[in-house]
Amino acid sequence: MAERKLAVITGASSGIGAMFARKLAARGYDLLLVARREDRLRSLAVELAETYRVSGAVLAADLTDDAGRERVAERIRSASNLGLLVNNAGFGTLGFFADVDVASQLQMHRLHVLATMHLTHAALANLIPRGEGGVINVSSVAAFGQSAGSVSYCATKGWMNAFTASICAELEVQESAVKVQALCPGFTLSEFHDTLGMDRSPIPQSLWMTADFVVGESLRGFDEGKLFVIPGWRYKLIVMFMKSLPGWALRKMSARGARRYRKQKA
């Protein structure tokens, strides 16, 4: 019997990460679930192992910490059955860049940029020699624009898209079968916005997607070898519109939105 492939999922304790764990377990992947909340990871790992008869391991780690990040990278590098890495861990903040605590911005760059880079490097060192598997980087529709009040979030997700596309170019040059994807969802029902402290009510219901739908679209796109996956036809149109605008127009739209938000908070 062939050895089952291993999926490593960061930010797996809730939301999109937990849904990746569920869907990949259903596909027969063994799991290594990574997040800070070990109790949640263990509960999910036990549930999925019992339901799908796969191995469910957990690794509690803070990916903004150098030592924690290296522990996860080493597990990825040394996994003989590595099949997929999902870089999903992330968070957002609200507020003008100069007003928010700089510590939160440093943490965001460490998590979205350094962790994604470090773990992807470890995964590719493992996967490229074997010519199989891949990496999914969970980005955002925000990567295609600029948003006053979410400066670091847009910037780090924009970096993630550029990073993933450049890795894809290198894999093509190397004629490698390893695949990479930047998943760019819009508003998704999860704990993300609760942690952010964002009021969901101003956002039209039609723009909210479930984690089940987002992850389903991601895995379908991965099977088809798509580099960028934007779940939902509405968001595909929004991104097309954003790409058609010059930079000054995007910034003007962002500024108008930020002014409305400040008036509502006042």
Side-chain angles (χ1 to χ4, degrees):
M1 182 185 241
E3 186 178 25
R4 282 194 299 261
K5 295 301 179 185
L6 175 70
V8 180
I9 306 163
T10 70
S13 59
S14 65
I16 290 174
M19 186 56 66
F20 265 113
R22 293 183 185 282
K23 287 191 176 292
L24 290 170
R27 287 184 170 211
Y29 280 84
D30 284 341
L31 303 173
L32 175 59
L33 307 181
V34 181
R36 291 179 300 174
R37 296 179 288 189
E38 186 172 2
D39 56 339
R40 285 202 179 191
L41 292 179
R42 290 201 179 281
S43 176
L44 180 61
V46 168
E47 175 197 337
L48 296 181
E50 291 177 350
T51 302
Y52 297 106
R53 303 301 179 203
V54 298
S55 171
V58 305
L59 179 53
D62 182 351
L63 294 176
T64 67
D65 173 72
D66 289 348
R69 197 165 56 243
E70 178 54 35
R71 280 197 299 125
V72 179
E74 180 53 34
R75 288 284 292 272
I76 292 169
R77 276 192 296 266
S78 62
S80 62
N81 62 334
L82 181 68
L84 182 64
L85 167 65
V86 181
N87 283 309
N88 168 72
F91 70 96
T93 58
L94 288 176
F96 283 5
F97 179 74
D99 297 336
V100 298
D101 180 7
V102 72
S104 67
Q105 308 305 291
L106 290 168
Q107 293 288 84
M108 189 182 296
H109 281 75
R110 290 189 189 104
L111 187 57
H112 295 177
V113 176
L114 290 183
T116 298
M117 180 273 294
H118 195 167
L119 302 189
T120 299
H121 187 274
L124 294 177
N126 185 324
L127 297 172
I128 289 175
R130 294 192 282 114
E132 60 182 359
V135 177
I136 296 174
N137 292 323
V138 180
S139 181
S140 171
V141 164
F144 298 98
Q146 303 101 41
S147 178
S150 299
V151 169
S152 287
Y153 189 79
C154 291
T156 55
K157 294 300 185 177
W159 175 90
M160 194 178 288
N161 279 12
F163 173 74
T164 308
S166 296
I167 293 294
C168 182
E170 290 192 347
L171 292 170
E172 289 177 0
V173 170
Q174 295 170 291
E175 298 182 348
S176 175
V178 175
K179 295 185 284 189
V180 291
Q181 177 192 117
L183 170 62
C184 303
F187 293 114
T188 305
L189 293 166
S190 70
E191 292 181 11
F192 179 91
H193 296 93
D194 297 329
T195 303
L196 185 60
M198 176 181 165
D199 179 11
R200 289 193 180 97
S201 60
I203 310 300
Q205 282 193 333
S206 61
L207 290 180
W208 288 100
M209 301 178 292
T210 65
D212 182 279
F213 173 74
V214 168
V215 175
E217 289 293 284
S218 174
L219 294 178
R220 185 165 64 86
F222 187 80
D223 293 340
E224 296 170 359
K226 290 184 179 178
L227 172 58
F228 290 103
V229 172
I230 303 167
W233 65 267
R234 292 176 179 84
Y235 284 107
K236 288 180 176 67
L237 290 177
I238 288 170
V239 170
M240 286 177 60
F241 175 67
M242 292 167 72
K243 285 182 173 181
S244 72
L245 293 175
W248 65 265
L250 274 176
R251 290 190 293 274
K252 195 167 185 179
M253 286 174 58
S254 173
R256 276 204 302 265
R259 289 190 188 100
R260 284 199 299 270
Y261 175 78
R262 293 192 88 180
K263 285 180 181 177
Q264 290 169 357
K265 287 289 184 180

